[in-house]
Amino acid sequence: MPALIRRLRRTALAASTAVLATALLQAPASAGGLGDLGPSVGGGGDGANITATAGVQYNKSNNGTPSSGHPAGPLKPVGNWKPPACWYEPYYTPAQLKAEREGVWAQPSVGNEWVVGQRDHYVNGQPYTDFNMDKTGKGYWWYGYVPNPGAPGWDQCQDPPFWVDKGDTPPAAHHNVITPEVLAELAYNQILIPTGDATINPAGDQGVNIPTWVWMDPTVFHPVSVTAYLPDYNVSATTTAKPVGIRIEPHTPYAQTYPASGNCAGTGRAWKPGAGNVPPCGVVFLKDSGNGTYTMDVTVRWQISWTGTGHPNPTALPTGTFTSHQTVTVREIQSVNR
């Protein structure tokens, strides 16, 4: 498998080299310039880059799983928040970067002045010597990684590869270089939450002026988490999603929610015999649905927070949601046998 990964990576680099060569032919190269191939695409900690075991890794053992015939799905962040579109992570060993760069420099269409600047930077001690071959096993070359080329912000990680010894903190000057905060955001993007419909009582058709209790199964809708980490740099972050409330939207003016705001604490409460007529979380339909139905949305609000290296106290991230759309038929009946 590692050999296949390397072949795939070299194929991608060959395509990037062709683009670079075209650009260099159109504009003179600067002797001191370090124009790069641009951020790497695909791969990352899931195993498709050259040093897959050195990049961002994920522990998903506490992530959401399918249940009751429903798949697990991603959170929908409230607002416009998005995870990083690119970031810098450990990517090359010295030998790998050397092979990649020397392959590019050997292309006949690459400008000589640009190659001279590259050699000074990586080989001749300005500031690196021989690609840091003497530090093999003691660190990695970090490089910009893009999981989804074309996404907004994907091109903001185009700095040339830079060296970081194992265990050291990477220089903060690089956009989205891996820190506990960035790892927390990457873990957020990996979280899967349980999906499924709300439970209602009475089950089936609802009656006019008959309270309908609404809740989500707490054995399904429970806290989930993902940990993102760098194995060789002693840095990690765990992002946790916890269901903290549900919102009922009956989408008809002929309904009264309980509470009146429609916002229930927790995941609601299951109906039990003797529970009474006023649900702590529910709805009363005031008019039948005629020949049609009502569509009731039940949205679970997930509170998101993270802890990590040097950050023992939970820090909030944008809230996430999941919405269940349920079709409800309401009939004129006097009572419902619960």
Side-chain angles (χ1 to χ4, degrees), residues 42-257:
D46 288 332
N49 66 340
I50 293 179
T51 56
T53 58
V56 176
Q57 306 290 298
Y58 299 97
N59 181 341
K60 302 179 183 179
S61 59
N62 294 317
N63 207 2
T65 57
S67 61
S68 303
H70 296 283
L75 280 166
K76 180 182 179 181
V78 173
N80 297 321
W81 183 88
K82 294 183 182 300
C86 67
W87 59 88
Y88 293 96
E89 66 173 26
Y91 206 88
Y92 294 111
T93 65
Q96 288 163 347
L97 182 63
K98 181 177 181 179
E100 183 264 328
R101 292 289 137 153
E102 289 182 343
V104 173
W105 299 342
Q107 298 298 316
S109 56
V110 175
N112 182 64
E113 290 184 41
W114 179 80
V115 173
V116 169
Q118 288 258 307
R119 288 190 181 279
D120 284 345
H121 185 75
Y122 293 109
V123 180
N124 298 329
Q126 301 179 34
Y128 303 112
T129 300
D130 192 24
F131 295 96
N132 279 359
M133 290 294 290
D134 61 330
K135 289 191 172 185
T136 297
K138 299 178 181 179
Y140 290 97
W141 290 97
W142 288 44
Y143 195 37
Y145 169 64
V146 180
N148 297 301
W154 74 275
D155 56 349
Q156 295 181 10
C157 301
Q158 301 196 50
D159 295 348
F162 54 92
W163 180 265
V164 183
D165 285 336
K166 288 183 179 180
D168 281 0
T169 300
H174 303 278
H175 179 71
N176 281 345
V177 70
I178 289 297
T179 61
E181 292 88 344
V182 172
L183 287 175
E185 293 181 341
L186 297 180
Y188 186 122
N189 197 44
Q190 297 293 323
I191 283 181
L192 298 176
I193 56 172
T195 63
D197 295 331
T199 303
I200 62 175
N201 187 283
D205 292 354
Q206 302 302 297
V208 174
N209 294 323
I210 301 296
T212 300
W213 289 56
V214 178
W215 70 94
M216 310 300 287
D217 185 347
T219 65
V220 174
F221 288 83
H222 54 77
V224 298
S225 65
V226 170
T227 297
Y229 61 99
L230 286 180
D232 293 310
Y233 289 87
N234 303 317
V235 60
S236 67
T238 298
T239 299
T240 300
K242 178 182 178 181
V244 293
I246 61 177
R247 176 175 177 79
I248 302 172
E249 297 176 280
H251 294 298
T252 171
Y254 305 108
Q256 172 65 55
T257 57

